[in-house]
């Protein structure tokens, strides 16, 4: 079992930055690939970013490339998402997930409760 707790969400203006964190406890954090997903009101949950177990390899959805950076600190059992140049369309609940997949929701076994990010114009 892995327990995941997100933090760092909030209300910001377009162009601002936020850093989300995801603290993991339980089984070995470094055994899992980690990802961020998001779900906007009335929309399906979508993949945002993924980082390999070692942190060497990352994958991003096209809409956030160049603005978001996913990273992890295996010594601290923590996943991060640095979000720069935020846009109103980034407004969503952001979830971290642990698993062995790449971009598909069903490839991830453990999920946090989510943190709200709201970007105003």
């Amino acid at each position: 079992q892995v327990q995941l707790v997100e933090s760092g969400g909030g209300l910001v203006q377009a162009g601002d930055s936020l850093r989300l964190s995801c603290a993991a406890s339980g089984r070995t954090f470094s055994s899992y690939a980690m990802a961020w997903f998001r779900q906007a009101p009335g929309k399906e949950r979508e993949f945002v970013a993924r980082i390999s177990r070692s942190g060497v390899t990352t994958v991003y959805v096209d809409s956030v490339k160049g603005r978001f950076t996913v990273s992890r600190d295996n010594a601290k059992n923590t996943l991060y998402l640095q979000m720069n140049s935020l846009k109103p369309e980034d407004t969503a609940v952001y979830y971290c997930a642990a698993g062995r997949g790449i971009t598909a929701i069903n490839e991830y076994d453990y999920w946090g409760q989510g943190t709200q990010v709201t970007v105003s114009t």
Side-chain angles (χ1 to χ4, degrees):
Q1 286 284 347
V2 176
Q3 291 78 43
L4 303 173
V5 179
E6 302 96 335
S7 61
L11 172 62
V12 297
Q13 293 186 330
D16 285 351
S17 298
L18 274 177
R19 189 175 82 156
L20 305 183
S21 298
C22 173
S25 60
R27 297 188 63 182
T28 306
F29 176 71
S30 59
S31 297
Y32 295 95
M34 298 295 297
W36 289 97
F37 290 79
R38 66 186 179 186
Q39 188 166 16
K43 295 187 177 181
E44 294 185 352
R45 193 170 299 189
E46 66 169 353
F47 169 80
V48 175
R50 182 261 192 190
I51 189 166
S52 62
R53 292 176 294 172
S54 66
V56 170
T57 304
T58 57
V59 179
Y60 299 92
V61 67
D62 285 347
S63 60
V64 308
K65 285 180 180 177
R67 300 189 299 121
F68 290 12
T69 302
V70 60
S71 61
R72 65 191 296 166
D73 186 335
N74 286 343
K76 295 183 177 179
N77 287 358
T78 304
L79 173 73
Y80 303 100
L81 185 67
Q82 178 67 43
M83 305 186 294
N84 298 330
S85 302
L86 282 161
K87 303 176 180 180
E89 51 264 44
D90 294 319
T91 295
V93 177
Y94 283 72
Y95 299 89
C96 65
R100 306 187 189 282
I102 306 296
T103 63
I105 290 175
N106 62 8
E107 294 175 330
Y108 289 87
D109 302 312
Y110 304 102
W111 293 82
Q113 83 291 347
T115 186
Q116 176 71 47
V117 172
T118 303
V119 184
S120 64
T121 55

